[in-house]
Amino acid sequence: MRVQRSPLLWRPVLLAAVVLAGLGACAALAEETKRQVAIQLALERPLEASMAPVVLATSHGLFGGEGVAVTTTIAKGSADAIARVASGESELAVADINELIRYRDNTANPPVKAVFVLFNRAPYAIIARKSRGIHALADLEGKTLGVTEGDLSIRLWAALARQNDIKTSAVKLSRIGAAVREPILSAGQVDAVSGFSYLSAVNLRDRGVPAADLAVLRFADYGCEAYGQAIIVSPAFAAAQPAAVKGFLRALVGGLHLAIKDPPVAAAEVVSRMDDGSRELELSRLETVLADNVLTPEVRRNGIGGIDPARLERAIDQIAEDYQFHTRPKATDIFDDSFLPPVDSRLID
């Protein structure tokens, strides 16, 4: 004879099974989190669209998929970002590779190296008003150039001027505060300012200065060989966790491919993490970065992230025109390509 069991008798058993399954899942998640390598990434400036690859690698789970748990912190410029990595406070950082070159001039400093170049061309530029008679670099003679404290681009001005037969004595440098760089130019108090093309030029358009009145004189268009923002790594962390560094870079490449594929979506994701961001402004910024600094002919030939050693040597020589090296570093002192993902994954479709 078959006995019918009440469903009520099964409920405690089912509940216990569900609880045990949940506990098992939580334990598995905890174990997975424990296995992930923690990485603190120092950004050289507050979040904006140029960091879309980092944001997308995070939001799409690419870092987690590579076994790294990435948190970000904001440094006070490239020098501070490098110092944080050198001290071990941060494992990785985004910093200007030219600032790293100057840092490595001191042999007492830890041997911090770049392992990935985000900006194949440095974003250095002079942003001028055409209405003030400036259309090309030579037009700066007899004009006033606003320069902020700590501006990285002006450090290559001597090399740029020499290459283009410009008398530096004929260009008046006016020291201004970073907070008023764009307002002063838009008000006509100076004829031009030095800065980053994807920051100052885009900000000026946002302030109402017509794009047709802006002359963006990119250093790269006038013979500047410099690379730009790069991922740098703590020597101790690179030695202890080489697989984590490689995994971070694979995820970053994935994030960069996503940003290239759909800039509007990428900009929107960045803005969602900003306190007071404009989707239109950040999209313009991202498109500028991709066009001017990332998707260069060199990158299209050789892939994202690497360097041409001969070009980096020439860039170091250009820095030496305005910086007295105690011991000139070599390209191999600055960049380590051993952590890069395979070339086929870094090529642009």
Side-chain angles (χ1 to χ4, degrees), residues 10-328:
W10 286 100
R11 288 183 181 175
V13 178
L14 289 172
L15 179 59
V18 170
V19 170
L20 288 173
L23 289 174
C26 289
L29 180 61
E31 182 61 28
E32 178 64 25
T33 302
K34 186 178 178 181
R35 285 199 300 267
Q36 289 188 333
V37 178
I39 291 177
Q40 183 179 94
L41 174 69
L43 305 180
E44 63 177 349
R45 67 182 68 256
L47 183 65
E48 35 77 10
S50 72
M51 289 299 101
V54 174
V55 170
L56 293 172
T58 301
S59 65
H60 285 70
L62 303 182
F63 286 135
E66 292 290 350
V68 293
V70 179
T71 58
T72 58
T73 185
I74 306 302
K76 299 174 182 176
S78 279
D80 183 37
I82 294 168
R84 294 186 188 203
V85 167
S87 69
E89 179 182 344
S90 294
E91 286 74 32
L92 299 171
V94 177
D96 185 292
I97 198 170
N98 305 293
E99 190 71 359
L100 176 65
I101 290 167
R102 298 180 188 96
Y103 171 86
R104 288 299 306 273
D105 177 38
N106 185 343
T107 55
N109 287 334
V112 176
K113 289 188 179 183
V115 292
F116 188 93
V117 170
L118 279 169
F119 289 6
N120 184 263
R121 284 179 181 159
Y124 304 155
I126 289 171
I127 301 91
R129 302 286 296 272
K130 293 179 182 177
S131 55
R132 305 295 287 255
I134 302 175
H135 298 266
L137 206 63
D139 298 329
L140 286 170
E141 291 190 5
K143 304 294 185 182
T144 300
L145 175 64
V147 179
T148 68
E149 183 67 31
D151 176 54
L152 297 176
S153 57
I154 202 63
R155 298 186 183 185
L156 280 164
W157 168 239
L160 200 72
R162 182 194 59 77
Q163 283 181 299
N164 293 275
D165 297 321
I166 295 171
K167 297 176 184 176
T168 55
S169 59
V171 181
K172 180 182 177 182
L173 301 185
S174 176
R175 299 293 170 180
I176 59 176
V180 297
R181 172 168 38 199
E182 287 83 20
I184 281 180
L185 181 59
S186 63
Q189 293 176 259
V190 294
D191 303 302
V193 294
S194 61
F196 287 3
S197 59
Y198 74 96
L199 291 174
S200 292
V202 174
N203 291 346
L204 281 161
R205 292 198 296 269
D206 186 56
R207 291 186 65 87
V209 178
D213 189 34
L214 287 177
V216 182
L217 311 176
R218 301 173 188 84
F219 283 25
D221 295 335
Y222 287 90
C224 179
E225 298 270 19
Y227 289 94
Q229 275 52 31
I231 301 296
I232 65 170
V233 64
S234 156
F237 184 75
Q241 297 284 359
V245 177
K246 291 178 180 180
F248 175 93
L249 295 183
R250 283 194 297 269
L252 184 67
V253 168
L256 192 46
H257 278 300
L258 290 171
I260 293 167
K261 181 179 179 182
D262 199 338
V265 169
E269 289 217 33
V270 173
V271 170
S272 72
R273 289 160 175 76
M274 297 172 66
D275 291 334
D276 188 24
S278 160
R279 185 170 179 173
E280 182 180 358
L281 180 65
E282 295 309 319
L283 175 57
S284 179
R285 201 183 310 285
L286 179 57
E287 289 174 338
T288 299
V289 164
L290 292 176
D292 294 349
N293 311 119
V294 176
L295 301 178
T296 68
E298 183 178 309
V299 164
R300 293 190 183 279
R301 285 193 309 271
N302 304 327
I304 301 164
I307 58 133
D308 173 354
R311 176 185 159 190
L312 184 55
E313 292 288 356
R314 294 193 299 271
I316 295 171
D317 286 339
Q318 289 182 341
I319 290 173
E321 295 197 34
D322 190 52
Y323 181 88
Q324 185 65 48
F325 283 111
H326 295 93
T327 304
R328 180 194 179 282

